[in-house]
Amino acid sequence: MENNFPETHSDQIKSPAFSKTDLGNIAFIVMLCGILSYLRWAKMDTLVLGDAPRWLFEAQRVAVGQLPYRDFSWQYPPFSVLLLGWMMRFFGITFTVAQVFVDVVSISVVLAAYFLIRLLLPTFLLIPVMFCFIAVCGTSLMFFNLFSLLTYVPALQTAAGGFLWLLVGVLIYLRTGKLTGANWIMITIGAFIAAYSKPETFVATYSTLVVLAIADRNYWFEGRETREWFWHYTKLGTACAAPALIAYLWTGAVVGFANLREGITGYGLAGAACPWWPTGL
């Protein structure tokens, strides 16, 4: 069996170059996404009960100038509700705008998943795995689904998409030992979206970067000066943390830091014994 791992820590694992096969795969994947989007377009059971009416109404409130935490309750970091609300402000408070928002975020999640698994699996498995992934997430009626307004809250999808793009950038770096411009973009933007969307992906993002730094001291930086490793990860950590820090500081300054803290911690629910939330950890 061929060994796909480097014989020494200085060896690179070549990532597969983007090819016509990838182009065909992506075209097929986007076609599947389009079919599911069409079948689930603006379908809702009710505008009175459930999760979707609530987050749609909350985004509409942002569109008319209100803000989460200050003017209405919001139990997550503000990225998804602000983004959807601002889209509604510019393009109109309609179901079409909300559906397009959900579809764009969903396609981003799907493409991030594709680029991640193509680094991990043989080519012949890409389409079967992606077909299963899209079929499950595109037909689900549970909390996490794609291409549908009937989701728990769009923060789930934006958080997942951001964290997946972060992982793509991290894995490419681990294979090559180089941070290209594309890597920087994927890692920093992915980190910002993940950290500004959900508390769980906030923790996962910076935990991933800490583990990466510790492991890399004995991988690509083996035999090199500690100062060089420290400076490398100081730059990477700053690039990943500064945008989210600025965004949180801006949000807190506008809505009140106490309000922001109460909202992100679920107004006390995050510390309670509840099956759908980390129990205070």
Side-chain angles (χ1 to χ4, degrees), residues 238-252:
T238 300
C240 291
L245 177 62
I246 293 171
Y248 276 112
L249 290 175
W250 169 79
T251 305

Side-chain angles (χ1 to χ4, degrees), residues 6 9-15 169-180 183 212 216 219-221 224 228 232-233:
H9 294 322
S10 61
D11 289 341
Q12 294 184 356
I13 303 175
K14 292 184 178 179
S15 297
V170 166
L171 186 54
I172 291 174
Y173 167 72
L174 282 174
R175 286 168 162 264
T176 63
K178 297 179 181 178
L179 278 176
T180 64
N183 272 30
L212 173 65
D216 200 20
Y219 194 71
W220 291 114
F221 284 88
R224 297 161 69 176
E228 190 177 356
H232 174 81
Y233 278 97

Side-chain angles (χ1 to χ4, degrees), residues 73-187:
S73 64
W74 180 255
Q75 292 93 336
Y76 314 96
F79 180 79
S80 61
V81 72
L82 291 180
L83 184 60
L84 177 54
W86 291 340
M87 284 187 62
M88 286 182 170
R89 181 179 301 179
F90 287 110
F91 299 106
I93 303 173
T94 66
F95 289 107
T96 297
V97 171
Q99 183 68 59
V100 169
F101 168 82
V102 168
D103 289 345
V104 169
V105 172
S106 297
I107 289 176
S108 177
V109 172
V110 170
L111 292 179
Y114 174 79
F115 281 103
L116 182 65
I117 68 167
R118 76 187 287 271
L119 297 172
L120 301 172
L121 299 179
T123 302
F124 75 93
L125 283 177
L126 294 181
I127 287 299
V129 170
M130 288 306 300
F131 182 86
C132 291
F133 175 74
I134 296 170
V136 170
C137 295
T139 60
S140 172
L141 296 178
M142 299 300 291
F143 293 140
F144 185 91
N145 57 50
L146 301 176
F147 311 106
S148 175
L149 296 175
L150 297 173
T151 188
Y152 183 58
V153 66
L156 294 171
Q157 286 77 13
T158 59
F163 190 64
L164 284 171
W165 283 115
L166 167 75
L167 291 181
V168 173
V170 166
L171 186 54
I172 291 174
Y173 167 72
L174 282 174
R175 286 168 162 264
T176 63
K178 297 179 181 178
L179 278 176
T180 64
N183 272 30
W184 277 104
I185 291 173
M186 283 188 286
I187 291 175

Side-chain angles (χ1 to χ4, degrees), residues 185-217:
I185 291 173
M186 283 188 286
I187 291 175
T188 55
I189 294 181
F192 169 74
I193 294 175
Y196 202 47
S197 291
K198 288 275 276 151
E200 295 88 340
T201 45
F202 178 98
V203 174
T205 292
Y206 298 115
S207 297
T208 298
L209 294 173
V210 170
V211 171
L212 173 65
I214 295 172
D216 200 20
R217 182 65 188 93

